[in-house]
Amino acid sequence: MVTWLITVAGKDQPELLHKFCETIALMEGVFLDKQQTVMAGQVTAMFKVCLPAAHIPFSRKVFAEYRVKGLDIISVQELNPDPSKSHRLALELHGQYRFGIDFDIRTILESHGAQIEQLNQHYMGQTPEGKRQFTSKVHAELTRPISEPNLLQALYRLSPELSIRLSIDEPEHVLVS
């Protein structure tokens, strides 16, 4: 598997961008993240995609075909994280729901150096007291050392009576003599 950060730009043609994403999915690609901006009839998008290595030559050919159709592939950057050195974060949150809390969770984690790989949020319904409840599970890779107390302090501000379970897996250090 290879993980790419793909940057594309061109005229705002939603059907073409959709077809581009569909083509990646047909090559067994998995979208890990997506950011898109449209201004003055132009679109710029970034995709973090994981593809089977067997599809690399074909995907480059396909990217050239999209260039002819008006979607410029600005860059394809291969991300090579060294799994032996990466820190992993697993987070479970349970508490009072409010609109936009998932966005706030993502923002806090990203500001602390977490690259979110998976964020699942479920609305759990109302308690007998009429409070709406949610549960979120997050998995992320940390791009830098993290201050657990600072992260927890920021998360606890999100919702009253928030329950947080945080675990950070540090890489194993092997001593060589």
Side-chain angles (χ1 to χ4, degrees):
M1 296 293 277
V2 63
T3 302
W4 281 345
L5 186 60
I6 304 169
T7 305
V8 299
K11 287 185 181 178
D12 183 21
Q13 302 176 53
E15 66 284 345
L16 185 60
L17 195 57
H18 177 76
K19 187 74 174 163
F20 177 77
C21 293
E22 194 174 73
T23 302
I24 290 173
L26 288 172
M27 289 185 285
E28 302 175 55
V30 176
F31 286 84
L32 302 174
D33 201 0
K34 173 186 170 186
Q35 298 291 321
Q36 179 178 324
T37 296
V38 178
M39 279 190 225
Q42 298 292 312
V43 65
T44 301
M46 292 179 70
F47 304 101
K48 184 177 177 185
V49 177
C50 192
L51 281 169
H55 295 298
I56 292 173
F58 179 71
S59 62
R60 292 198 184 275
K61 178 183 169 203
V62 169
F63 293 168
E65 292 173 7
Y66 276 96
R67 195 170 272 130
V68 172
K69 295 176 184 179
L71 186 64
D72 289 327
I73 299 4
I74 305 299
S75 70
V76 178
Q77 178 185 359
E78 187 170 342
L79 305 175
N80 291 322
D82 182 353
S84 67
K85 295 182 181 177
S86 67
H87 292 66
R88 317 284 307 158
L89 174 136
L91 178 67
E92 288 185 34
L93 301 161
H94 179 80
Q96 189 172 335
Y97 175 80
R98 66 170 169 73
F99 181 75
I101 197 160
D102 56 334
F103 176 78
D104 292 340
I105 292 167
R106 180 180 287 273
T107 302
I108 288 170
L109 290 173
E110 288 176 352
S111 72
H112 283 82
Q115 287 184 336
I116 297 173
E117 296 170 342
Q118 183 178 16
L119 188 149
N120 293 324
Q121 180 172 304
H122 301 283
Y123 177 71
M124 304 300 290
Q126 292 188 352
T127 64
E129 298 83 31
K131 295 180 181 178
R132 299 181 305 167
Q133 298 290 304
F134 81 99
T135 297
S136 284
K137 292 183 180 181
V138 181
H139 294 274
E141 180 180 338
L142 298 175
T143 60
R144 62 181 188 262
I146 191 167
S147 166
E148 286 185 48
N150 289 348
L151 175 60
L152 290 171
Q153 182 181 22
L155 289 169
Y156 278 121
R157 291 184 192 144
L158 290 176
S159 176
E161 302 171 17
L162 189 64
S163 168
I164 300 175
R165 235 173 50 184
L166 172 68
S167 115
I168 298 175
D169 297 329
E170 300 202 14
E172 294 182 26
H173 299 285
V174 179
L175 298 176
V176 179
S177 57

